[in-house]
DNA sequence: GACACGGGAGAACGAACGTTCTCCCGTGGG
DNA sequence: CCCACGGGAGAACGTTCGTTCTCCCGTGTC
């Protein structure tokens, strides 16, 4: 197995386990077992667990925002694009594997202990907010809408994560529609 | 030191440390050191760490919701009471000790491993939502507003926790005002 | 005064886990 | 064929931490 595929399999297993069971309750040995990558190789690729965690969050960040952007881009109408964000959230919440927002969860676990993880969470949330801002600008709506839309989305992620329901996405979409059409 | 005060001091220390540094990174020995309650007593009062965690979340839930309700009750106008929720959040976010929502953080740390903690988080969030619902009903507003208001509040808590800023409260309050005055 | 006892200090124990080390094998080059 | 070497399996090591145990002291009771 060459280095690139070993790295990818390690990250696949790490993501599945870290996201599904939490970071601290998954040991490096669990990742070895799930990925088939030996401990020796794991430590060559990621000299410490924290670096594996960072790589997991980093890769997931790129993919998460990419998938959201691809979904939204299918919509032509600029205002509908904003609504599509909440449609996408609803689909995500309905996924069998959904267990809340990976970054909010990671922040709860490690935010107080690891500055690097805390920084990654901040960067991810800021990037999401900036993306919403770009959609708002694209629809020629006042920039002041960005904050509220972002809060609705974050609230929906938290609430869906805790309750396991997709309803928060529908509620958030409805509220977003209402905010977009006010005066 | 009698049993009641030992219990209270243990819970005081547990709350300070669990909330400030995360649950998993605080050991029983840290709590002994911070509370002055010996390990022997600690384990008489709480036969396992998980029970101390549950007692911490339980006591904090009662106090948190009580303080919110007391703050809101000072307002007479039913609609202003809803806005007052966000004023209270803003004060909370500005507190020096503020480190995000204790329940969201606990869920990120333990939600996947402890059903009891996950249940407490769900119950706390449901109680908060129900409280918002009672304010909405008191203002004779449509019940459909409860969900969006709740999501704004949750989003503000998460975002303030991650960024350390009080701004999310102001944004959420503004959005709430807007939702209340539509049509 | 003798003694039972609740409690404090902190050592001890055992498990979990991050990280490293040992041993061995298969392979490719000389 | 020999050998160097990259890598796998998993034992080993050291630390952390939840939990329990030991030892001792002060107090209240007869």
């Amino acid at each position: 197995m060459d280095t690139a595929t070993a790295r990818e399999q390690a990250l696949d297993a790490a993501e599945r386990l870290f996201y599904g069971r939490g970071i601290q309750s998954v040991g490096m040995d669990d990742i070895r077992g799930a990925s088939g990558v030996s401990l020796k190789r794991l430590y060559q690729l990621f000299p410490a667990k924290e670096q594996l965690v960072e790589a997991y969050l980093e890769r997931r960040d790129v993919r998460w925002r990419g998938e959201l952007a691809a979904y939204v881009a299918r919509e032509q109408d600029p205002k509908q694009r904003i609504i599509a964000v909440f449609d996408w959230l609803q689909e995500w919440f309905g996924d069998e594997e959904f267990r809340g927002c990976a970054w909010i969860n990671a922040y709860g676990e490690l935010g107080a202990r690891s500055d690097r993880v805390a920084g990654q969470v901040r960067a991810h949330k800021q990037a999401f907010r900036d993306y919403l801002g770009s959609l708002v600008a694209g629809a020629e709506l006042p920039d002041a809408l960005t904050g509220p839309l972002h809060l609705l989305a974050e609230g929906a992620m938290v609430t869906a994560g805790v309750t396991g329901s997709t309803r928060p996405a529908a509620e958030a979409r409805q509220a977003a529609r209402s905010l977009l059409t006010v005066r």
Side-chain angles (χ1 to χ4, degrees), chain A residues 73-129:
Chain A
R74 299 198 316 222
E75 194 67 57
Q76 297 304 318
D77 180 68
K79 283 191 185 176
Q80 279 304 310
R81 285 192 167 175
I82 295 172
I83 301 303
V85 170
F86 296 92
D87 291 330
W88 185 77
L89 287 181
Q90 184 156 26
E91 284 195 17
W92 179 35
F93 297 168
D95 189 301
E96 179 134 353
E97 317 271 281
F98 177 73
R99 289 201 27 76
C101 169
W103 294 271
I104 293 173
N105 292 345
Y107 190 83
E109 275 198 86
L110 302 173
R113 224 179 326 189
S114 164
D115 286 341
R116 297 179 63 94
V117 168
Q120 276 182 292
V121 175
R122 266 189 289 277
H124 168 79
K125 292 305 188 190
Q126 183 63 49
F128 176 49
R129 187 193 163 99

Side-chain angles (χ1 to χ4, degrees), chain A residues 32-61:
Chain A
R32 178 190 58 81
S35 67
V37 176
S38 71
L39 279 180
K40 200 179 199 176
R41 279 267 244 183
L42 272 180
Y43 277 92
Q44 278 172 4
L45 294 164
F46 308 98
K49 185 182 180 183
E50 187 172 4
Q51 295 179 50
L52 177 57
V53 172
E54 289 166 20
Y56 145 60
L57 290 175
E58 159 77 17
R59 195 183 68 155
R60 189 177 172 102
D61 171 62

